[in-house]
Amino acid sequence: MSDSELDVKWMQYAMALAEKAEAQGEIPVGAVIVKEDEVLGEGWNQPITLHDSTAHAEIVAIRNAGKNIANYRLVGSTIYVTLEPCPMCAGAIIHSRIARLVYGAQDYKTGAVGSVMNLLQHDSNNHKVDFTSGLLEQQCSHQISAFFKKRRVEIKAAKENKTLKDDVNIDDDQID
């Protein structure tokens, strides 16, 4: 299998992990850390589920990989993420000594690997991380945008339902 075929394989794996996040009501972002075509660690967004603002997919995957190899340094590994990392996650990628990042969709609000800023290649870093952006970008973008579209519909329906209940003075426990 060529390097580009391996990249696609692992990004698809990350997208499957993102589905786990969505099933939990989380923003669908998945991450997998690989070395020599073997999974070191994986994760998906879980800040709501775990009540932890740091439980982004990348952080969960880094913690999982560190435990699996009994080392916080993930030297020579590649992390595949469906969404461009935020500053927190970019910092964790640097500090864990991951060699390479491959991400799908760009994050124009908080992306720290080129969209808003580029922390991975900052001159002051003692470790530089190579990266590839835009792998399966359309699929990764669609996964996230479809989630938010569905979420907006659900919120609108809930507001309309509340208005209807308020209009007829019905409590939640009276509705089957």
Side-chain angles (χ1 to χ4, degrees):
M1 206 178 269
S2 71
D3 288 344
S4 62
E5 289 172 325
L6 284 174
D7 284 349
V8 169
K9 168 189 167 181
W10 291 114
M11 184 59 74
Q12 289 172 333
Y13 188 95
M15 291 178 70
L17 294 171
E19 290 173 8
K20 291 183 178 190
E22 185 169 5
Q24 294 177 337
E26 303 274 3
I27 297 170
V29 178
V32 60
I33 300 172
V34 177
K35 184 174 182 179
E36 298 173 2
D37 204 30
E38 295 289 328
V39 174
L40 298 183
E42 61 184 38
W44 54 91
N45 268 5
Q46 298 180 70
I48 297 166
T49 305
L50 298 177
H51 309 290
D52 179 356
S53 60
T54 68
H56 290 195
E58 300 94 323
I59 302 296
V60 174
I62 289 168
R63 289 175 179 159
N64 183 249
K67 287 178 184 173
N68 287 340
I69 68 166
N71 194 336
Y72 74 96
R73 292 182 180 225
L74 307 174
V75 177
S77 65
T78 299
I79 185 168
Y80 295 87
V81 188
T82 58
L83 181 66
E84 178 181 1
C86 71
M88 173 184 69
C89 294
I93 289 167
I94 292 165
H95 287 292
S96 62
R97 304 301 193 269
I98 291 172
R100 182 171 173 245
L101 159 73
V102 180
Y103 72 86
Q106 292 185 309
D107 184 346
Y108 296 107
K109 291 183 180 180
T110 64
V113 189
S115 292
V116 177
M117 63 191 85
N118 186 352
L119 295 180
L120 296 188
Q121 299 293 317
H122 195 276
D123 290 338
S124 67
N125 292 343
N126 63 339
H127 174 71
K128 304 287 191 283
V129 179
D130 293 328
F131 68 92
T132 301
S133 62
L135 181 67
L136 302 183
E137 183 173 14
Q138 287 183 325
Q139 296 94 318
C140 292
S141 293
H142 176 74
Q143 192 173 38
I144 292 169
S145 62
F147 169 82
F148 282 113
K149 183 177 180 180
K150 179 179 162 190
R151 175 72 54 92
R152 285 188 294 275
V153 169
E154 290 169 350
I155 290 169
K156 183 178 179 182
K159 285 180 182 178
E160 289 172 357
N161 190 28
K162 176 158 176 32
T163 303
L164 175 64
K165 287 189 290 185
D166 290 344
D167 288 346
V168 293
N169 200 20
I170 297 174
D171 293 330
D172 285 334
D173 59 353
Q174 293 174 313
I175 299 173
D176 291 325

